[in-house]
């Protein structure tokens, strides 16, 4: 195996597995053809015929190709020699469909010469080209050339300054023209991509220094403030208390004068804004502040309109609730409690309200009552964030439900024929998971229509993965009508499991008893390292095969990584033929493996969070297909389908993915004191269980996690009602 570093002009391309590419071409200055394979992780996009790509890689053996290169790094570059321009114009897809074929390209090359033609295209001299080809065509060719050249220049600039390909992809989507000029003018504008590139400040600051920008330049000072706010935004905060911001800035700057100047520069550039809330001055990123401000306005509008809403008379509504309760008693053997009746009344007499309760307190029972009674008078739409939560809501209310994303798509698509109806009741189940950006999109969809909004959830469970909080803030607000259910129905009333779950929720947990084979309650299995955890899990799964393993972490670097658990349990529990599987790039999906969907697919009626079993592998016309069983329904999926669905092993899933589900037995793995391990995370994990919850951890880690407040209570936000 030998190393190779050069520039290749691409002649042919085919997409590789999972977004990568296999491409062939001649190295500049040589006649030998090389075939290269690049992973999707290292290329900004699939190369196109005619383009030149700078690459580093190693030549290795291959059954099909003689000179085969495994690419380590590569990026598009400008044509190193003008003589290659003709091949680019003939081959590249950007110039196809313009009636600009080989004959016209050759005509221009003969008229100008390759080098002069390249210069004319770069300079945008349409009139020069129009002497030999149609003026409209000349303009289109120049436009296509400029777009391609802007992309190439941007990539070269980013690679020169050590930005990674993933960031380059995002920048190219946002910045379409004059990108390099704008980046050179203010490279600190790139700090907005903090979520994509966690170490972006260090790289941007180094690039700015190369460009001659001083350390006290207003662009750098403003960029530093923005960066700190974006780092916080990544953690869920939409605001920074000004004194805390100044303390953070003092660690980066040499004087209090520069700290004040940095905040002033950021304000002058309108990158951030100030908000005063309950006597506290907050600094916010402009985008997050606008979202929160608009949400406050929408909520205020709903609150001001609430008095106008009533379903018939108060007496008719009371009778409808009593009739429903009596019907429930005769049909199912239970009637609505007084708290549940109050919740139904609240939802049907207010424009905006919240319904909360501990896990298993009958929120879904109340939800069905609200939907059944309201639907006699008006349209009702039941929504949820995830596909799994949407399916559970469908089971609960016995009618079609939607994810919020699919609901918005149907509303916006004029051709869909979907109509929300007049003055609908919109119900969001598992509302604690919904972030402010998505919530604003939903309310904006009804900007010119009346609606009533009911948010159902549990504030003790996990807050949104995205930034900001909405549901938790509404529940705390005295301005929003709210009903809180407290009687638990899911697990045995006053059971050991319920008592422990409530102690975790309250932040006061006693020492957990050790597990000794019990099938009810919450128990600790002492565990301090990955190997012990994996050994325990293999033994428990043999005793309780249906137990669902949950973990706060999926990252490989964590000792309780879900990926480590999945790989280990597959290796020790699988007894099927190794050929009965599908290779997914980093892992196998084998027959009898539990699997989870991580991307929504309406084509397959499968949604993020759906769990099932890999039931078989077949070959159809030479292609491998996997059969997966979800809720008793078998679905046949190609390898590409599995990739599109983000199908992964599910011996262990994240606690986030489990939210909205319930299991007879859950096993919670928690071996580290990371920021994810806090009260709501542990409460959500334990409350997924109907009978038994086992915690693989130490008493100290569990106690420290329970002592840490819910993430939603620690976020600094500007949203208030």
């Amino acid at each position: 195996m030998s190393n190779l570093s050069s520039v290749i002009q691409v002649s042919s391309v085919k997409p590789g597995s999972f977004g990568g590419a296999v491409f062939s071409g001649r190295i500049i200055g040589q006649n030998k053809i090389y075939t290269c394979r690049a992973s999707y992780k290292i290329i900004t996009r699939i190369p196109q015929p005619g383009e030149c790509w700078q690459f580093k890689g190693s030549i290795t053996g291959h059954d099909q190709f003689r000179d085969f290169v495994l690419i380590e790094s590569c990026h598009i570059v400008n044509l190193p020699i003008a003589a290659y321009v003709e091949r680019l114009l003939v081959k590249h897809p950007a110039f196809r469909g313009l009636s600009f074929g080989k004959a016209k390209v050759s005509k221009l090359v003969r008229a100008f010469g390759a080098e002069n033609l390249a210069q004319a295209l770069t300079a945008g001299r349409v009139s020069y080209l129009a002497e030999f080809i149609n003026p409209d065509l000349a303009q289109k060719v120049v436009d296509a050339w400029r777009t391609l050249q802007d992309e190439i220049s941007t990539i070269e600039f980013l690679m020169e300054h050590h930005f990674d390909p993933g960031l380059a992809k995002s920048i190219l989507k946002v910045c379409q023209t004059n990108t390099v000029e704008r980046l050179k003018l203010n490279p600190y504008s790139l700090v907005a991509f903090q979520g994509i590139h966690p170490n972006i400040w260090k790289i941007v600051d180094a690039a700015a220094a190369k460009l001659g920008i001083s350390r006290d330049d207003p662009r750098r000072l403003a960029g530093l403030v923005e960066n700190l706010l974006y780092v916080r935004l990544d953690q869920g905060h939409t605001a920074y208390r000004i004194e805390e911001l100044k303390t953070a800035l003092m660690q980066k700057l040499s004087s209090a004068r520069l700290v004040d100047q940095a905040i002033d520069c950021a304000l002058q550039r309108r990158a951030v804004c100030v908000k005063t809330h309950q006597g506290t001055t907050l600094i916010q990123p402009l985008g997050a502040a606008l979202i929160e401000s608009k949400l406050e306005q929408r909520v205020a509008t709903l609150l001001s309109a609430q008095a106008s809403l009533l379903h018939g008379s108060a007496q008719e509504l009371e009778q409808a609730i009593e009739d429903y309760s009596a019907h429930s008693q005769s049909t199912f053997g239970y009637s609505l409690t007084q708290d549940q009746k109050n919740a139904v009344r609240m939802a049907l007499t207010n424009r905006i309200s919240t319904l909360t309760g501990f896990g298993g307190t009958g929120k879904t029972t109340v939800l069905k009552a609200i939907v059944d009674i309201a639907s006699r008078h008006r349209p009702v739409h039941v929504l949820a964030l995830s596909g799994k939560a949407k399916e559970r809501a469908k089971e609960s209310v016995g009618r079609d439900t939607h994810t919020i994303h699919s609901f918005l798509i149907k509303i916006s698509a004029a051709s869909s024929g979907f109509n929300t109806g007049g003055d609908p009741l919109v119900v969001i189940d598992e509302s604690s998971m919904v972030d402010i950006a998505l919530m604003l999109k939903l309310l904006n969809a009804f900007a010119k229509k009346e609606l009533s909004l009911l948010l159902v959830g549990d504030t003790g469970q996990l807050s949104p993965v995205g930034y900001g909080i909405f549901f938790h803030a509404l529940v705390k607000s005295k301005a929003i009508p709210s009903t809180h259910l407290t009687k638990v129905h899911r697990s045995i009333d006053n059971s050991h499991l319920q008592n422990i779950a409530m102690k975790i929720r309250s932040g006061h947990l006693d020492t957990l008893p050790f597990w000794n084979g019990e099938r009810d309650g919450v128990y600790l299995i002492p565990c301090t390292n990955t190997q012990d955890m994996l050994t325990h899990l293999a033994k428990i799964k043999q005793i309780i095969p249906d137990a669902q393993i949950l973990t706060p972490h999926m990252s490989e670097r964590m000792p309780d990584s879900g990926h480590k658990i999945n790989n280990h349990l597959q290796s020790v529990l699988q007894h099927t033929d190794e050929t009965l599987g599908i290779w997914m790039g980093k892992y196998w999906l084998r027959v009898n493996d539990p699997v989870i969907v991580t991307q929504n697919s309406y084509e397959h009626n499968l949604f993020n969070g759906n769990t099932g079993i890999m039931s078989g592998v077949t070959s159809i016309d030479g292609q491998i297909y996997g059969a997966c069983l979800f809720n008793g329904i078998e679905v046949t999926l190609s390898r590409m389908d599995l990739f599109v669905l983000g199908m992964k092993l599910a011996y262990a899933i994240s606690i986030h993915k489990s939210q909205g589900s319930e299991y007879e037995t859950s096993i919670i793995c928690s071996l580290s004191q990371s920021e994810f391990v806090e009260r709501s995370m542990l409460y959500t994990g334990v409350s997924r269980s109907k009978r038994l919850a086992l915690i693989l951890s130490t008493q100290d880690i569990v106690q420290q996690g329970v002592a840490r407040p819910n993430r939603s209570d620690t976020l600094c936000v500007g949203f208030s009602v």
Side-chain angles (χ1 to χ4, degrees):
M1 184 180 292
S2 59
N3 295 327
L4 185 64
S5 177
S6 193
V7 175
I8 187 172
Q9 184 167 37
V10 179
S11 57
S12 63
V13 186
K14 65 176 181 178
S17 300
F18 310 112
V22 176
F23 55 95
S24 299
R26 287 183 172 84
I27 287 180
I28 299 299
Q30 298 183 21
N31 288 323
K32 185 187 288 186
I33 293 178
Y34 289 85
T35 300
C36 307
R37 186 178 73 191
S39 160
Y40 72 94
K41 291 184 177 181
I42 63 172
I43 54 175
T44 54
R45 63 161 170 78
I46 294 174
Q48 298 295 341
E51 292 177 346
C52 290
W53 282 66
Q54 174 80 49
F55 73 91
K56 291 181 181 179
S58 54
I59 301 175
T60 185
H62 195 279
D63 294 339
Q64 184 179 353
F65 305 107
R66 181 177 177 183
D67 295 298
F68 189 75
V69 182
L70 287 175
I71 300 293
E72 297 168 9
S73 65
C74 66
H75 61 89
I76 191 171
V77 294
N78 271 308
L79 294 167
I81 302 174
Y84 289 87
V85 69
E86 183 171 359
R87 191 179 302 168
L88 175 68
L89 293 172
V90 170
K91 292 274 190 178
H92 200 283
F95 303 99
R96 305 284 63 81
L98 303 179
S99 297
F100 187 58
K102 187 174 182 179
K104 290 178 181 175
V105 172
S106 298
K107 183 178 181 180
L108 290 176
V109 171
R110 287 195 303 271
F112 288 92
E115 186 171 348
N116 289 335
L117 175 58
Q119 291 176 357
L121 289 167
T122 302
R125 293 170 179 162
V126 176
S127 59
Y128 284 29
L129 275 63
E131 294 180 14
F132 301 93
I133 60 175
N134 179 281
D136 288 341
L137 174 59
Q139 184 65 60
K140 291 176 182 177
V141 171
V142 166
D143 290 344
W145 177 271
R146 278 180 168 173
T147 299
L148 183 59
Q149 290 301 304
D150 192 61
E151 178 191 359
I152 294 170
S153 299
T154 302
I155 294 296
E156 289 186 319
F157 176 86
L158 294 172
M159 294 302 104
E160 177 189 349
H161 294 287
H162 309 294
F163 292 96
D164 68 22
L167 177 64
K169 291 179 188 177
S170 300
I171 292 172
L172 289 168
K173 287 180 183 177
V174 176
C175 306
Q176 300 294 327
T177 58
N178 301 321
T179 310
V180 173
E181 288 76 8
R182 286 189 282 167
L183 291 179
K184 287 181 177 179
L185 186 63
N186 186 11
Y188 291 102
S189 62
L190 292 176
V191 299
F193 292 91
Q194 161 66 30
I196 299 168
H197 196 308
N199 298 317
I200 197 166
W201 175 258
K202 184 177 180 180
I203 297 173
V204 168
D205 209 26
K210 277 187 181 180
L211 294 169
I213 297 176
S214 66
R215 296 185 63 79
D216 59 354
D217 187 287
R219 291 169 291 182
R220 182 177 188 272
L221 295 177
L224 184 56
V225 173
E226 280 191 87
N227 182 64
L228 289 173
L229 288 172
Y230 283 126
V231 169
R232 293 265 292 178
L233 197 66
D234 229 23
Q235 298 165 351
H237 305 271
T238 61
Y240 221 145
R241 294 178 183 87
I242 191 165
E243 294 308 320
E244 293 177 355
L245 174 60
K246 287 183 176 182
T247 300
L249 284 168
M250 275 299 292
Q251 297 175 7
K252 306 286 185 181
L253 298 171
S254 58
S255 68
R257 178 186 64 80
L258 280 178
V259 167
D260 290 336
Q261 187 179 338
I263 295 174
D264 287 342
C265 288
L267 289 169
Q268 289 169 12
R269 290 176 178 272
R270 298 185 179 179
V272 303
C273 61
V274 177
K275 179 174 183 175
T276 302
H277 178 58
Q278 296 180 346
T280 301
T281 301
L282 303 175
I283 303 294
Q284 294 190 270
L286 193 58
L290 285 172
I291 290 173
E292 289 184 333
S293 175
K294 290 177 180 178
L295 265 181
E296 289 173 358
Q297 294 171 19
R298 295 293 291 135
V299 171
T301 300
L302 289 171
L303 282 171
S304 65
Q306 65 184 23
S308 65
L309 179 65
L310 207 66
H311 276 267
S313 66
Q315 292 78 11
E316 288 173 335
L317 177 57
E318 291 300 326
Q319 189 60 52
I321 294 172
E322 292 300 327
D323 290 347
Y324 185 91
S325 183
H327 175 74
S328 179
Q329 178 66 53
S330 62
T331 305
F332 305 110
Y334 59 84
S335 58
L336 299 178
T337 66
Q338 190 56 51
D339 281 348
Q340 290 172 334
K341 290 177 182 177
N342 291 341
V344 175
R345 185 182 305 107
M346 171 198 70
L348 300 182
T349 56
N350 288 282
R351 284 291 184 186
I352 182 169
S353 58
T354 64
L355 171 62
T356 71
F358 313 138
T361 53
K363 295 189 298 292
T364 54
T365 299
V366 175
L367 177 57
K368 180 168 174 53
I370 292 168
V371 170
D372 287 350
I373 295 172
S375 60
R376 301 170 191 169
H377 303 273
R378 64 196 300 203
V380 178
H381 304 288
V382 181
L383 316 178
L385 176 65
S386 70
K388 182 66 176 288
K390 167 246 182 195
E391 288 298 298
R392 284 188 55 77
K394 181 178 180 180
E395 294 171 8
S396 301
V397 301
R399 60 189 288 146
D400 285 341
T401 56
H402 307 274
T403 64
I404 299 175
H405 291 96
S406 68
F407 186 71
L408 290 171
I409 290 170
K410 287 186 175 183
I411 291 176
S412 62
S415 59
S416 69
F418 181 75
N419 190 342
T420 59
D423 196 8
L425 170 63
V426 177
V427 180
I428 303 179
D429 198 17
E430 297 290 350
S431 295
S432 64
M433 302 166 69
V434 184
D435 63 43
I436 58 174
L438 184 58
M439 197 66 234
L440 181 60
K441 287 181 182 177
L442 178 63
L443 291 179
N444 281 344
F446 291 90
K448 297 181 180 179
K449 298 180 181 179
E450 289 186 324
L451 89 153
S452 297
L453 182 66
L454 172 65
L455 299 153
V456 182
D458 180 0
T459 55
Q461 292 189 32
L462 295 169
S463 53
V465 175
Y467 57 82
I469 50 173
F470 182 71
F471 176 71
H472 297 77
L474 292 189
V475 172
K476 289 179 181 178
S477 171
K478 295 179 180 179
I480 307 295
S482 182
T483 299
H484 181 56
L485 303 175
T486 57
K487 184 174 177 57
V488 177
H489 303 284
R490 176 184 294 159
S491 52
I492 300 170
D493 193 30
N494 203 34
S495 68
H496 181 242
L497 189 148
Q498 180 197 349
N499 288 334
I500 295 297
M502 296 309 297
K503 287 180 178 180
I504 292 173
R505 184 187 176 101
S506 67
H508 301 92
L509 179 65
D510 301 325
T511 300
L512 286 173
F514 296 152
W515 186 53
N516 195 28
E518 294 87 350
R519 291 302 179 100
D520 293 280
V522 183
Y523 301 92
L524 181 75
I525 299 177
C527 191
T528 59
N529 59 67
T530 302
Q531 189 54 55
D532 284 350
M533 175 189 71
L534 297 177
T535 301
H536 282 304
L537 289 174
K539 291 178 180 177
I540 298 168
K541 285 291 285 184
Q542 290 173 340
I543 300 170
I544 314 174
D546 294 333
Q548 179 61 60
I549 301 167
L550 307 175
T551 175
H553 311 110
M554 295 304 291
S555 169
E556 291 277 9
R557 64 185 178 83
M558 303 304 292
D560 48 15
S561 161
H563 295 306
K564 291 178 182 176
I565 297 170
N566 283 323
N567 292 336
H568 179 75
L569 291 184
Q570 185 186 54
S571 68
V572 299
L573 299 179
Q574 270 285 16
H575 303 293
T576 57
D577 185 340
E578 286 193 4
T579 61
L580 294 177
I582 296 178
W583 177 243
M584 295 294 290
K586 284 190 173 181
Y587 55 92
W588 284 92
L589 295 179
R590 301 194 189 281
V591 176
N592 297 326
D593 276 335
V595 293
I596 184 169
V597 175
T598 62
Q599 300 291 330
N600 294 331
S601 173
Y602 293 90
E603 176 187 353
H604 299 100
N605 198 35
L606 292 172
F607 306 98
N608 184 8
N610 285 151
T611 53
I613 297 291
M614 187 88 161
S615 55
V617 175
T618 58
S619 178
I620 303 174
D621 296 330
Q623 274 198 321
I624 298 295
Y625 287 79
C628 297
L629 198 63
F630 293 95
N631 296 323
I633 300 173
E634 191 169 75
V635 183
T636 301
L637 302 164
S638 69
R639 184 167 179 260
M640 185 53 68
D641 290 334
L642 292 168
F643 174 67
V644 169
L645 286 162
M647 197 75 73
K648 299 185 184 299
L649 293 170
Y651 292 95
I653 63 174
S654 70
I655 295 177
H656 269 103
K657 292 288 186 190
S658 77
Q659 194 160 348
S661 300
E662 61 182 14
Y663 317 101
E664 287 293 321
T665 299
S666 63
I667 307 170
I668 297 102
C669 301
S670 183
L671 301 185
S672 61
Q673 300 173 18
S674 79
E675 63 186 56
F676 291 106
V677 182
E678 40 81 32
R679 192 177 305 158
S680 66
M681 180 72 78
L682 293 173
Y683 171 72
T684 300
V686 169
S687 62
R688 297 310 88 209
S689 303
K690 292 193 287 186
R691 299 191 67 86
L692 176 65
L694 303 176
I695 303 178
L696 272 65
S697 186
T698 66
Q699 295 283 7
D700 284 346
I701 289 176
V702 173
Q703 292 290 346
Q704 290 171 18
V706 171
R708 291 184 64 195
N710 293 345
R711 175 176 177 269
S712 61
D713 293 330
T714 64
L715 295 178
C716 182
V717 300
F719 177 74
S720 63
V721 288

